[in-house]
Amino acid sequence: LFLLDEEGNQDESLDSKTSSAEDQVKDHSTGTRVVAGQIFLESGKSDSQSEDEENFQSQEEEKENSLEELNSLDMSSLLNKDLEEAEMQSPVLTAIGGTADGEPCHFPFLFMEKEYAECTADGREDGRLWCATTYDYKKDQKWGFCESEEFCNKRRQMQEAEDVYQIGMKILNESSKKAQKKVAYQYLLKAADMNHTKAMEKVSYALLFGDYLKQNIQLSKELFEKLTEEGSPKGQMALGFLYASGLGVNSSQAKALVYYTFGALGGNLIAHMILGYRYWAGIGVLQSCESALTHYRLVANHVASDISLTGGTVVQRIRLADEVENPGMASGMLEEDLIQYYQFLAEKGDVQAQVGLGQLHLHGGRGVEQNHQRAFEYFNQAANAGNSHAMAFLGKMYSEGSDVVPQSNETALQYFKKAADMGNPVGQSGLGMAYLYGRGVPVNYELALKYFQKAAEQGWVDGQLQLGSMYYNGIGVKRDYKQALKYFNLASQGGHILAFYNLAQMHATGTGVMRSCHTAVELFKNVCERGRWSERLMTAYNSYKDGDSNSAVVQYLLLAEQGYEVAQSNAAFILDQKEASIVGENETYPRALLHWNRAASQGYTVARIKLGDYHFYGFGTDVDYETAFIHYRLASEQQHSAQAMFNLGYMHEKGLGIKQDIHLAKRFYDMAAEASPDAQVPVFLALCKLGVIYSFQYVREINIREVFSHIDMDQLLGPEWDLYLMTIIALLLGTIIAYRQRQHQAIPRPAGLRPAVPQQEPPPEHQPPQ
């Protein structure tokens, strides 16, 4: 079980894992390679480019041949010159104090029969670095310090801080108990006080979110400012977040944009993701699809390269507003009692329960923490019982390797073969991977294609993904972008991240499809939102359920900045309910309105209706019936919301923001009743009210006396109409009298039953006060 840091542990610098932004976002053509189903950018060229490039290369070769002789003549002299310049530019250490103050250090030098090529602390108890200024220290006794006393003290302090930081991180990574993690953060707090940069980053985020330390936004802001001065990308991104959300500082979108930009330039992935969303939605910047594509593609490359064959962890997207509106609605979380019930079944030998629990622990999610040890145990039990699915997943675990299961291609192959022989698609896909990459067997593209096709036919997403990759790259088959697109689309319907990534690459470069920046950005955004930082969605939800709304709202606000629609709506919901005390009462509704607006722009119906409500009632803005009407109409037309239709009916009935029209009001009420069964009762009451209003209006508009004066009863009902009327009245009276007499008759009581004895009322002095 890996431990996330405050940002999700995937926002480190891109220097070690990815190349520069320019390299990452370079358009690629057909000559890409695919690892684990991912299209990676390479310098390969398409067939259409090859002829032009051959002509160009032949011309270049002629030029190179003509220049080769001149270059060979000058090369040796240039090399000698470069070496001389390098020697001149190399820094020379000067001894400080000692017996040779001001003289240059001599490297190497001999001390205690050992040569040293750099300064050393050997022979000194204070750990201060020194060097000799001649080769033989014992003979000449010429030496001096390599650093000043002040610098030495600073270095020793930093080393001490590093030691404390490592102790804290060791405890943090090795423990799962909350009490132990709190102890770890005390070490990190001590290291941060000693100006250790990484410790300050950990502590500042812990203070911001209230993770294992008491939430203190003001102190976290001071640490972020200190980190920003030192050039920390994490600090710059966090300070941008504070200015964007107005936490601890006056809100300033301009300053936020500056800090986000510096954070992104420093390689912070979350800063790139935030900028991608801002350019996509036009928040604080001019809307630019191409700029959004640049930022999102860079982050998506990193996320895709980190995805294993198991597909990564499951992202739980729980909307707080939906939970309140529909308490019985399944949130995707498994109750503790249900998990215990499945565990009981698994212990009793239920194979399906064993496989289900194994998958839950392998991927994590639905309220179950990722635990490879338990997953391995459950799969082993089910595999021993002959379950092919468990065998295939054991093969996956051995193929990938982890702290629990050592990587072994041979063992993985055995499990994959057993499962594939039983017709299991997971095993067939695993066997295809083995033949595709030569894991434990010789590379055989034909067999790989065969097994991937078998897995894809059974609807297994990994088989579909790999089959798409083979068609895309022309491995074992003729290159066919249409087939590649087909299988990537099928895999994406199963929710595979790499399928989204590959489709995004195809749409971004126009490979096999018409180039579409908008589609590519949406697909890349989907991939980015599946990065490890998405696990903070669950952390924020748990904080809210534990009653810590302040911690939850800050976490949701950061995720909302990254473009998560669920986080935007949840942050708006908490602000709407006025449950977060860290936000001033006057700012609650305007900020909620902002995030409802962002969530609505991403297609969330409840957020769109909330926007209508805010403008209707004047929450966080002026009362504006016209704008409210527009939002309700959008929710009605685009998402067919019964609530929006009902509201439109009411506004037509009252003439709010629109001309009063009772007929249109009835039409919208009828549409609401058709759209949702829950709306039928309120619609019936509204229609009854509407009927009464319509009747009154009709009566008011006509002259009753005039109507009766024009009616001739003799002509309408005949000359004896009064006799007919008296007869009808007499019959009605007789019916009523007969009915009332029957009501007064005693009802016979069944034998054996006695009337219940009424309970005596308590004495007046014992009665509760009214």
Side-chain angles (χ1 to χ4, degrees), residues 159-175 180-181 183-188 190-191 196:
Q159 185 57 50
E160 185 184 347
E162 177 65 23
D163 294 341
V164 174
Y165 171 76
Q166 291 299 337
I167 293 169
M169 289 304 296
K170 190 172 185 292
I171 297 170
L172 198 62
N173 289 326
E174 291 178 357
S175 63
Q180 287 293 315
K181 290 183 184 292
V183 171
Y185 268 97
Q186 291 306 312
Y187 280 103
L188 295 175
K190 185 180 176 183
H196 190 280

Side-chain angles (χ1 to χ4, degrees), residues 347 460 599:
E347 287 168 9
W460 181 240

Side-chain angles (χ1 to χ4, degrees), residues 121-425:
D122 291 357
R124 295 194 64 84
E125 293 180 358
D126 60 1
R128 196 168 172 187
L129 297 174
W130 65 278
C131 68
T133 58
T134 60
Y135 175 73
D136 193 339
Y137 167 79
K138 186 176 181 181
K139 176 185 174 185
D140 301 320
Q141 296 287 312
K142 302 277 281 181
W143 68 279
F145 293 110
C146 295
E147 57 188 1
S148 64
E149 191 172 353
E150 182 185 352
F151 188 84
C152 177
N153 291 334
K154 188 177 179 181
R155 181 175 57 80
R156 281 206 296 266
Q157 186 183 3
M158 289 308 296
Q159 185 57 50
E160 185 184 347
E162 177 65 23
D163 294 341
V164 174
Y165 171 76
Q166 291 299 337
I167 293 169
M169 289 304 296
K170 190 172 185 292
I171 297 170
L172 198 62
N173 289 326
E174 291 178 357
S175 63
S176 57
K177 293 180 180 177
K178 195 171 182 180
Q180 287 293 315
K181 290 183 184 292
K182 286 185 176 180
V183 171
Y185 268 97
Q186 291 306 312
Y187 280 103
L188 295 175
L189 204 56
K190 185 180 176 183
D193 290 338
M194 299 163 75
N195 295 323
H196 190 280
T197 303
K198 288 185 178 179
M200 283 197 291
E201 288 173 350
K202 300 283 286 183
V203 168
S204 57
Y205 278 97
L207 290 167
L208 178 65
F209 298 134
D211 288 344
Y212 311 111
L213 292 174
K214 188 179 179 182
Q215 191 176 33
N216 188 330
I217 290 174
Q218 196 58 40
L219 186 54
S220 71
K221 185 202 81 152
E222 291 170 9
L223 283 171
F224 287 139
E225 286 175 340
K226 194 172 181 181
L227 286 165
T228 299
E229 288 172 8
E230 293 179 6
S232 164
K234 283 186 181 181
Q236 290 161 343
M237 185 282 296
L239 204 55
F241 163 65
L242 292 181
Y243 276 107
S245 54
L247 294 172
V249 293
N250 292 326
S251 179
S252 171
Q253 297 303 319
K255 286 185 178 179
L257 188 63
V258 169
Y259 285 119
Y260 285 149
T261 304
F262 278 116
L265 290 171
N268 186 276
L269 292 175
I270 290 183
H272 275 293
M273 196 170 167
I274 291 170
L275 287 174
Y277 174 67
R278 288 192 161 227
Y279 279 109
W280 182 63
I283 299 170
V285 292
L286 286 173
Q287 199 167 13
S288 170
C289 184
E290 294 300 331
S291 297
L293 181 64
T294 301
H295 289 289
Y296 270 132
R297 187 180 339 200
L298 191 144
V299 181
N301 287 340
H302 189 88
V303 173
S305 66
D306 197 49
I307 296 298
S308 64
L309 292 178
T310 52
T313 53
V314 178
V315 180
Q316 293 291 335
R317 299 172 186 263
I318 304 168
R319 291 186 176 88
L320 301 177
D322 289 349
E323 271 199 338
V324 172
E325 290 291 327
N326 307 297
M329 186 186 69
S331 63
M333 302 294 293
L334 290 175
E335 296 290 336
E336 185 63 32
D337 294 344
L338 191 58
I339 294 171
Q340 288 178 0
Y341 173 67
Y342 284 132
Q343 287 172 344
F344 172 76
L345 289 178
E347 287 168 9
K348 292 293 181 183
D350 189 306
V351 177
Q352 294 302 320
Q354 290 167 350
V355 173
L357 285 170
Q359 286 181 278
L360 273 175
H361 284 97
L362 178 64
H363 300 113
R366 303 195 71 183
V368 179
E369 286 190 351
Q370 196 175 36
N371 188 326
H372 283 188
Q373 179 63 51
R374 300 201 71 177
F376 181 74
E377 289 167 2
Y378 283 124
F379 284 142
N380 245 330
Q381 292 171 18
N384 291 336
N387 184 275
S388 62
H389 219 60
M391 293 175 189
F393 274 100
L394 279 175
K396 274 193 166 195
M397 293 187 78
Y398 275 109
S399 177
E400 291 171 17
S402 65
D403 295 337
V404 176
V405 183
Q407 203 281 332
S408 171
N409 288 332
E410 290 72 21
T411 311
L413 195 66
Q414 289 173 12
Y415 280 115
F416 284 144
K417 276 183 176 175
K418 286 180 183 177
D421 290 343
M422 296 169 74
N424 185 275

Side-chain angles (χ1 to χ4, degrees), residues 34 127 135 180 191 205 242 325 332 550 589 604 649 678 745 758-759:
V34 175
Y135 175 73
Q180 287 293 315
Y205 278 97
L242 292 181
E325 290 291 327
N550 285 336
Y589 281 136
Y604 184 38
D678 296 338
Q745 288 179 356
Q759 294 181 353

Side-chain angles (χ1 to χ4, degrees), residues 566-714:
V566 174
Q568 290 166 350
S569 59
N570 286 354
F573 176 82
I574 295 171
L575 292 169
D576 180 78
Q577 300 296 308
K578 295 190 174 181
E579 294 175 332
S581 60
I582 58 170
V583 180
E585 193 170 342
N586 294 333
E587 299 175 9
T588 302
Y589 281 136
R591 291 192 188 185
L593 180 66
L594 173 73
H595 287 95
W596 284 130
N597 193 24
R598 291 181 183 177
S601 67
Q602 296 199 60
Y604 184 38
T605 309
V606 173
R608 182 65 67 187
I609 294 169
K610 280 287 186 182
L611 282 177
D613 293 345
Y614 272 47
H615 285 95
F616 187 91
Y617 295 109
F619 293 158
T621 183
D622 296 329
V623 173
D624 187 344
Y625 293 133
E626 288 81 2
T627 306
F629 182 84
I630 289 167
H631 287 300
Y632 290 143
R633 191 176 65 189
L634 284 171
S636 167
E637 291 174 357
Q638 294 175 1
Q639 286 106 16
H640 306 288
S641 165
Q643 178 70 56
M645 292 170 186
F646 186 90
N647 293 353
L648 285 170
Y650 181 81
M651 292 184 82
H652 276 292
E653 178 190 327
K654 296 292 184 183
L656 300 171
I658 194 75
K659 186 181 176 183
Q660 189 176 24
D661 191 329
I662 290 174
H663 301 288
L664 272 176
K666 183 182 183 303
R667 179 185 167 194
F668 277 111
Y669 284 142
D670 289 338
M671 286 167 63
E674 289 173 11
S676 171
D678 296 338
Q680 289 177 357
V681 173
V683 164
F684 172 75
L685 295 173
L687 287 174
C688 289
K689 177 188 168 190
L690 202 63
V692 171
I693 292 169
Y694 181 77
S695 301
F696 275 120
Q697 280 186 352
Y698 180 77
V699 169
R700 195 166 57 223
E701 287 171 5
I702 64 172
N703 192 325
I704 296 175
R705 286 185 182 179
E706 223 176 276
V707 171
F708 278 107
S709 66
H710 287 295
I711 295 176
D712 186 353
M713 299 299 286
D714 290 340

